[in-house]
Amino acid sequence: LQAVILAFCWVYIRKFQSRQESEVVSTITAICALAIALITSALLPVDIFLVSFMKYPNGTYKEWAANNETRGQIEDTVLYGYYTLYSFILFCVFLWIPFVYFYYEERDDDNVNKCSQVKNALKYTIGFAIVCVVLLLIGAFVPLEAPPGQNSTQWEKVQYLFEELGSSHGLPALSFSISSLTLIGMLAVITYTAYGMSVLPLNLIKGTRSVVYERLENTEDIDDVEHQIEKLKSKCNDGRPLSSRDRHNLQELEGKLQVLRRKGRHLEIAERNCCTKVGSALRPFKILLGIFFILVALLFTVALFISNLDKALHSAGISSGFIIFGTNLTNPLNELLLALQPVFPLDYILITVITMYFVVTSMAGIRNMGIWFFWIRLYKIRPKKTRPQALLFLCMILLLIVLHTSYMIYSLAPQYVMYGSQKYLVQSQMPSAGPTSGNATLGTTRICDAEAPEDQCTVTRSYLFLHKFWFFSTIYYFGNWAFIGAFLIGLVVSCCRGKKSVIEGEVEADDSDLSDDEYVH
């Protein structure tokens, strides 16, 4: 699995990487960061599978999981797996990626040597490291239990804080830091994933414009611009100089002509490209895939709306983080996962597909929108033209999105994410119908929920991790409403847009002619 993930990451990064500005360090960093994001996203299905695999369908524990200590060891292993991968994410977000980014930025100055590059990059990276340390300290000293009373001395209060830190081995500190990053990931999910869930299926359904029609249209545009240039140049045939306004218009027209000619070369290559012909042949399959994706997106939106409505109606409100145990309203996705439990391993396949769907749509959203900081567009994500800094930003955003994905999936199917396919046995006394008096014991099997005995159902480590701090759960709850609104807006925008060009993103006005060399085969 790891080899497949690394191969995918290498192909994906190389597809968008600029051939002129590529560098080994930034390429390796982007591939490793993307691989960590994908591996982390695959941990939730594993967590659900392990808690479900401990029990038989009749609700009894398997022989190897009958011991509480054995189950505890397995649960701790999964928990430490989460913390290990999350520690890697912290390292990437606060140290590795910032250092490589600033190191590459310093390379633009020809007067700076390698030693100065490293020093300047470290200087800027220290700021990120300080933020990380502050988050760890806050998380370490935020008490999860009630503090000593007002009558306690200052020393008792300080001693209490250190006991809290020592008893938890610093795990709440890491949890708080990850939860803080998850808030940023929530913003990225609202921005990129919500838009990707609408733009990806609609682009598949609408397809691209005809390359033959585009070439004909481009040729007409070239003739029109050349005619305008000749008309402007004819004004100075008698030796009179052009006015400043005419010179400005001439310069703009010559730049436009250059772009149109580059576009013509790219369209010519696309027309001869085998991938374009294969894409045309697979057009019916793309339409069906797009319809499937948009139905899945609508299913997710409905499930998320019902889950949030359930929390609004049946939770204790903001002070509890809108946490509810089980489901009170019928959630279609949760019911589907529970219905697939008897047919192994359909429910695990579906939860894995849901996880990968979020990652793929997030990639599509970033690809179509580019990297933004509020209303300022920082970088574009374009095939074979993406700068190393943009790829580093892309991987950092994906790392943050993956952190929030677990909570999104919990919101879509809360009961299943908490207990998986576990069932428990309920013993009940029934009066005997035979000649002998007495009661007979009858066992019935039920799906695990919040009413199940604590020793009969094991909660996933992901659920416990998500609800360690109630105030983060409150923010995530409101973030889900913002996600639904962003998806609906993105759906309207995507429907109103026309078909994409077959060479979408390959030709821009700020490109140089040298960049076309990598497209000539």
Side-chain angles (χ1 to χ4, degrees):
L1 178 62
Q2 293 178 354
V4 173
I5 290 176
L6 285 174
F8 170 80
C9 294
W10 183 83
V11 172
Y12 185 82
I13 295 299
R14 294 293 292 175
K15 174 185 177 182
F16 290 98
Q17 186 181 48
S18 172
R19 300 295 184 264
Q20 294 178 316
E21 299 184 76
S22 62
E23 191 182 64
V24 176
V25 177
S26 62
T27 302
I28 294 176
T29 301
I31 291 173
C32 292
L34 184 58
I36 291 173
L38 295 178
I39 293 172
T40 304
S41 67
L43 193 56
L44 177 61
V46 173
D47 187 9
I48 296 173
F49 171 77
L50 285 177
V51 296
S52 304
F53 192 64
M54 295 180 184
K55 307 194 79 172
Y56 288 113
N58 62 4
T60 60
Y61 281 107
K62 296 180 179 179
E63 291 77 9
W64 58 270
N67 192 334
N68 288 333
E69 293 183 1
T70 304
R71 294 200 301 272
Q73 291 175 357
I74 296 174
E75 293 164 14
D76 289 340
T77 301
V78 175
L79 183 63
Y80 291 139
Y82 273 109
Y83 281 118
T84 300
L85 288 172
Y86 288 162
S87 297
F88 279 126
I89 292 178
L90 277 180
F91 174 72
C92 289
V93 171
F94 285 110
L95 295 174
W96 191 6
I97 293 179
F99 174 78
V100 175
Y101 177 86
F102 290 118
Y103 177 83
Y104 193 85
E105 283 287 308
E106 291 296 320
R107 204 189 73 166
D108 293 340
D109 191 351
D110 297 332
N111 298 324
V112 178
N113 54 33
K114 292 288 183 181
C115 185
S116 298
Q117 278 183 253
V118 174
K119 288 181 180 179
N120 292 334
L122 285 174
K123 180 177 64 175
Y124 294 120
T125 308
I126 288 175
F128 286 84
I130 292 175
V131 174
C132 181
V133 172
V134 169
L135 291 176
L136 289 172
L137 289 175
I138 293 174
F141 290 101
V142 169
L144 299 180
E145 298 179 359
Q150 295 294 329
N151 296 329
S152 302
T153 63
Q154 289 295 326
W155 168 249
E156 288 176 342
K157 293 179 180 179
V158 172
Q159 188 179 16
Y160 163 77
L161 289 175
F162 277 99
E163 287 175 354
E164 279 288 301
L165 177 61
S167 62
S168 61
H169 304 288
L171 292 184
L174 182 60
S175 177
F176 184 87
S177 303
I178 291 296
S179 298
S180 301
L181 287 182
T182 305
L183 292 183
I184 306 175
M186 181 189 72
L187 298 177
V189 166
I190 294 171
T191 305
Y192 295 108
T193 309
Y195 182 64
M197 285 175 59
S198 61
V199 73
L200 176 62
L202 289 178
N203 281 345
L204 288 172
I205 294 173
K206 290 188 291 188
T208 58
R209 302 174 64 191
S210 169
V211 64
V212 176
Y213 177 78
E214 276 200 81
R215 285 195 67 187
L216 179 62
E217 188 181 60
N218 189 72
T219 302
E220 293 177 352
D221 291 340
I222 290 176
D223 293 339
D224 182 54
V225 172
E226 287 179 341
H227 176 71
Q228 294 182 49
I229 291 175
E230 291 177 0
K231 185 177 179 181
L232 279 176
K233 289 183 176 180
S234 64
K235 292 183 178 181
C236 59
N237 286 339
D238 56 357
R240 289 183 302 172
L242 292 174
S243 64
S244 59
R245 181 180 178 181
D246 287 338
R247 286 198 303 270
H248 178 72
N249 291 339
L250 181 61
Q251 188 176 4
E252 285 187 348
L253 288 171
E254 288 176 344
K256 185 178 179 180
L257 180 61
Q258 189 178 13
V259 173
L260 289 172
R261 285 173 176 171
R262 283 208 311 271
K263 184 178 178 180
R265 292 196 295 269
H266 283 249
L267 288 171
E268 184 181 355
I269 294 171
E271 190 175 17
R272 300 197 310 262
N273 198 340
C274 295
C275 294
T276 306
K277 298 176 181 177
V278 173
S280 300
L282 296 177
R283 184 83 189 94
F285 174 76
K286 288 183 178 180
I287 294 175
L288 292 176
L289 189 62
I291 294 174
F292 171 75
F293 277 169
I294 197 65
L295 291 176
V296 170
L298 293 174
L299 173 63
F300 285 1
T301 306
V302 171
L304 192 61
F305 175 80
I306 293 175
S307 177
N308 261 25
L309 185 62
D310 194 3
K311 292 178 182 179
L313 296 176
H314 301 103
S315 70
I318 294 178
S319 59
S320 67
F322 291 96
I323 297 174
I324 56 173
F325 301 98
T327 55
N328 301 286
L329 301 178
T330 303
N331 189 314
L333 191 58
N334 192 78
E335 295 298 321
L336 177 61
L337 286 166
L338 294 176
L340 293 177
Q341 288 178 3
V343 186
F344 177 85
L346 288 183
D347 54 335
Y348 305 117
I349 292 175
L350 180 57
I351 197 69
T352 304
V353 169
I354 291 172
T355 305
M356 291 297 103
Y357 177 82
F358 274 112
V359 176
V360 171
T361 52
S362 300
M363 289 179 168
I366 300 173
R367 162 73 179 87
N368 284 273
M369 290 184 63
I371 310 296
W372 289 78
F373 182 75
F374 292 102
W375 58 87
I376 302 173
R377 189 173 195 172
L378 300 179
Y379 299 104
K380 299 175 183 178
I381 307 298
R382 301 159 56 198
K384 300 182 182 180
K385 296 285 188 69
T386 307
R387 300 187 65 188
Q389 296 96 319
L391 289 176
L392 293 173
F393 261 110
L394 181 147
C395 295
M396 182 182 287
I397 292 173
L398 284 176
L399 284 171
L400 298 174
I401 286 175
V402 164
L403 291 178
H404 191 66
T405 299
S406 297
Y407 186 82
M408 288 290 297
I409 297 177
Y410 162 73
S411 300
L412 292 171
Q415 185 176 352
Y416 184 81
V417 172
M418 283 180 67
Y419 299 106
S421 60
Q422 294 179 87
K423 298 179 180 178
Y424 68 101
L425 198 61
V426 179
Q427 304 288 348
S428 57
Q429 299 292 329
M430 297 289 291
S432 178
T436 59
S437 61
N439 294 329
T441 302
L442 180 64
T444 57
T445 302
R446 295 181 183 177
I447 296 175
C448 282
D449 53 21
E451 299 178 356
E454 187 176 348
D455 60 339
Q456 290 296 313
C457 294
T458 304
V459 179
T460 59
R461 301 300 94 182
S462 173
Y463 174 80
L464 296 178
F465 181 86
L466 288 171
H467 298 89
K468 205 170 189 66
F469 300 97
W470 65 268
F471 42 88
F472 285 117
S473 299
T474 301
I475 300 173
Y476 299 155
Y477 166 80
F478 290 107
N480 283 346
W481 287 116
F483 177 86
I484 294 173
F487 168 74
L488 295 177
I489 294 173
L491 188 64
V492 173
V493 172
S494 301
C495 290
C496 294
R497 286 187 172 179
K499 293 183 177 181
K500 291 171 55 177
S501 170
V502 72
I503 56 168
E504 183 75 20
E506 293 183 8
V507 179
E508 297 287 347
D510 54 355
D511 293 337
S512 64
D513 288 331
L514 295 175
S515 63
D516 284 346
D517 295 341
E518 58 199 36
Y519 286 93
V520 180
H521 303 286

